[in-house]
Structure formats: C-alpha cells, structure tokens
Amino acid sequence: MPNTTARYTGLAGAPDCDTFLELTDDAIPVGEWVSKVSYSSCGAVATFSGTTRDNFEGKGVVELFYEAYDEMALKEMKKIADSVREKWEDVKGIVVVHRKGLVPVCEASVVIVVSSPHRVASMAAVRFIIDTLKTTVPIWKKEIYDAGIPSWKQNVEFLNSNVVKGSTQAEAALSQRRWSFGLLCAGLFGAVLLKQQ
C-alpha cells in the first residue's frame, strides 16, 4: 500500500513556505524531512520525534501498530498546519509525518518539523502540533507486548478533549465505552485487512 502524502504551499506566492503532511508505512527519514524545511531565511528548525518505547506500566512492549482513517487524518493535519500559520505568522516550513502499521521499539511513529526565523515560533508550533494531533487526528494505536494479549490504547488526550467538561461520571464512562467500541471496530477492520494481505 503506497504512502498517503499531501504537500501544500503555506502562503500563496511566498518563498520557503511549504507544508508537508504524510501518513506512511515506512520508517521516517527524520534528516530528510529536516532538510526539506531548512531554509536560508530560517535560524530555527525545531523537531519532535515520538518513538516506540519498550515498556508500558510494567509490561514489555515489542512494537506498536497504528491504523488511521487516511483521508480524515490528512484533513485534520491540514487544519492543524493552517492553525499554526494563523498563530505564528513567521513560521515557514511545517512537516507532520505519522507512521501506520508496525513500528518497532526505538523507531519514530511521528515526526514534526517546523522552521522559522527565530526559535520561539518554531518551538511553540511543534508543541501545539503534537498536542493538537493527539486530540483531533483519527489515528489508533495498539501495543504489542512480549507476553500477553495486545491492547488497543485509548488516547488520554483525545478522551479528555472529547468528553464534555462537567459531565457526570456515567456520561464520561459512556464516552469511554464508545471510544473502546470504536477501537474494537478499528482492530477488527485491521485484522480483516491483514488477513487479506
């Protein structure tokens, strides 16, 4: 299955203003993405690389498995990039790349790169992008352990941002059950896809 890639010009007619958004099944070449938005007009290139760690709550993690609703994920990623350009007008380059499929320990599942003339904008934008991505982009994660049953993980940031503040415990529990059902459906869909390959 090919990578799902989108490339946008950040500002019409403006030099050195590109936005690269990608969902990929391949390892993410961080250095290549950094070089794509390292412009001579920029004195700062901030990066974030989220990697698979080998543990979660005392369990050994072997790898992660990601699924995404590609079309919607890219639309949400584009919204995030547009918000960055509204909040920090001097941001030049934006890269948001997220892995799908299996991601072994120590490999990056998400890479964000932002360039700007000065560090404040690029560093703030990177933080905004990862925080917003975790709350709005439809990407699901399954942890595969060295022992025991793999587990689809609820994204705490997504749950916290999508449960109405002031809701009762019963409403919050219902929301979590709906989210768990969504993960179950995504897992079943993924199993069907893997079986077909």
Side-chain angles (χ1 to χ4, degrees), residues 1-8 19-25 33 67-83 94-100 110-111 129 132-133 136-140:
M1 185 180 249
N3 292 344
T4 305
T5 307
R7 180 180 184 267
Y8 303 95
T19 300
F20 298 92
L21 309 173
E22 181 174 281
L23 298 172
T24 181
D25 297 311
W33 286 112
E67 287 187 3
Y69 176 12
D70 292 7
E71 185 178 333
M72 181 64 74
L74 286 170
K75 283 182 184 178
E76 290 299 318
M77 289 161 73
K78 173 79 164 65
K79 285 181 191 176
I80 295 168
D82 291 344
S83 293
I94 300 172
V95 172
V96 182
V97 181
H98 205 296
R99 286 276 295 269
K100 296 186 309 179
V110 61
V111 170
I129 292 169
T132 309
L133 184 142
T136 64
V137 179
I139 297 173
W140 301 277

Side-chain angles (χ1 to χ4, degrees), residues 83-187:
S83 293
V84 166
R85 294 203 181 279
E86 288 174 18
K87 291 175 181 294
W88 298 279
E89 293 178 5
D90 61 340
V91 161
K92 298 292 187 178
I94 300 172
V95 172
V96 182
V97 181
H98 205 296
R99 286 276 295 269
K100 296 186 309 179
L102 293 174
V103 183
V105 170
C106 293
E107 287 192 18
S109 54
V110 61
V111 170
I112 298 165
V113 186
V114 178
S115 61
S116 62
H118 305 284
R119 72 182 183 279
V120 173
S122 59
M123 292 174 75
V126 165
R127 174 73 184 260
F128 173 81
I129 292 169
I130 189 61
D131 289 348
T132 309
L133 184 142
K134 285 181 151 284
T135 60
T136 64
V137 179
I139 297 173
W140 301 277
K141 172 176 78 173
K142 181 181 359 178
E143 289 184 346
I144 300 166
Y145 307 111
D146 56 7
I149 299 170
S151 175
W152 285 99
K153 304 308 290 186
Q154 292 181 346
N155 187 325
V156 174
E157 292 91 344
F158 181 88
L159 284 175
N160 290 341
S161 70
N162 290 291
V163 173
V164 178
K165 297 212 182 325
S167 62
T168 66
Q169 278 188 308
E171 290 167 332
L174 177 60
S175 179
Q176 284 195 319
R177 282 195 300 278
R178 286 183 183 141
W179 176 247
S180 295
F181 179 73
L183 289 175
L184 174 65
C185 291

